[in-house]
Amino acid sequence: MITIFKDKKDIPGDMEYVELNDLFFNQNTVSFIDKQAEEIIEILDNSKLISKYKIYSRFDEITLDIDRLSTGCKTVLNILYYPDKVFCLKECGNNALEVIYHFETGFVFSEYALIPFTMDTVAVQSRSGKKVISDYEELKEWWNIEK
């Protein structure tokens, strides 16, 4: 399950925090793109991966460089390929959040509540410890009350 941090101070010192998902993807993740990315790219950006660095955009019906993916899609792919790093959620739309909240592994950060209605069980980590939450309202309350 995905682990959520809402305070940067709660991220363990041995974990790398990535705030700029677009830049991280373009400099790192893009070199790992493989079959795992196909479904995510199709679901989130309605595009088709046609080679390691090219996508076919159904919206424009043209071939584009993969760096033209949305930042939400790039964030999802960053989490997929780097499950040991913490990625910021602030540039993710609800479609990306729905995918992220169903991941079996990964770490994310957001100071404010970003919760899809179709959330799965997640782990939350704060100074008071780690706990598992599987209810939308309970997670929303944790984000609003937990200090």
Side-chain angles (χ1 to χ4, degrees):
M1 80 188 79
I2 201 82
T3 298
I4 303 167
F5 298 97
K6 69 176 223 169
D7 189 329
K8 288 181 186 173
K9 294 175 186 172
D10 295 330
I11 299 172
D14 62 343
M15 293 185 81
E16 182 181 348
Y17 168 66
V18 177
E19 184 148 348
L20 303 174
N21 283 293
D22 197 84
L23 180 64
F24 186 88
F25 177 88
N26 293 343
Q27 291 181 344
N28 301 284
T29 308
V30 71
S31 63
F32 292 105
I33 296 299
D34 60 12
K35 292 276 186 199
Q36 293 182 84
E38 285 182 2
E39 184 178 4
I40 291 169
I41 291 170
E42 193 162 330
I43 290 169
L44 297 181
D45 282 5
N46 201 24
S47 296
K48 183 175 173 71
L49 183 66
I50 56 176
S51 72
K52 188 169 186 122
Y53 302 107
K54 298 285 184 188
I55 57 171
Y56 177 74
S57 172
R58 291 189 187 151
F59 179 72
D60 297 331
E61 297 183 353
I62 58 173
T63 300
L64 300 169
D65 290 333
I66 199 165
D67 68 341
R68 300 296 300 262
L69 290 171
S70 68
T71 303
C73 186
K74 289 179 179 183
T75 302
V76 171
L77 294 171
N78 287 342
I79 296 166
L80 176 68
Y81 290 101
Y82 291 92
D84 58 330
K85 298 184 185 316
V86 181
F87 293 95
C88 183
L89 291 179
K90 70 181 171 186
E91 297 176 302
C92 290
N94 202 51
N95 63 342
L97 293 172
E98 287 178 6
V99 173
I100 291 167
Y101 273 68
H102 288 89
F103 274 174
E104 293 294 321
T105 60
F107 298 90
V108 296
F109 166 80
S110 180
E111 294 171 319
Y112 46 88
L114 290 169
I115 312 166
F117 289 114
T118 61
M119 68 163 280
D120 237 355
T121 301
V122 298
V124 294
Q125 189 165 335
S126 63
R127 279 170 244 149
S128 61
K130 189 173 187 174
K131 76 180 200 176
V132 174
I133 297 176
S134 55
D135 177 73
Y136 176 91
E137 290 298 327
E138 185 181 354
L139 181 57
K140 187 175 173 184
E141 183 179 328
W142 172 81
W143 236 304
N144 292 328
I145 295 173
E146 182 70 29
K147 301 290 178 203

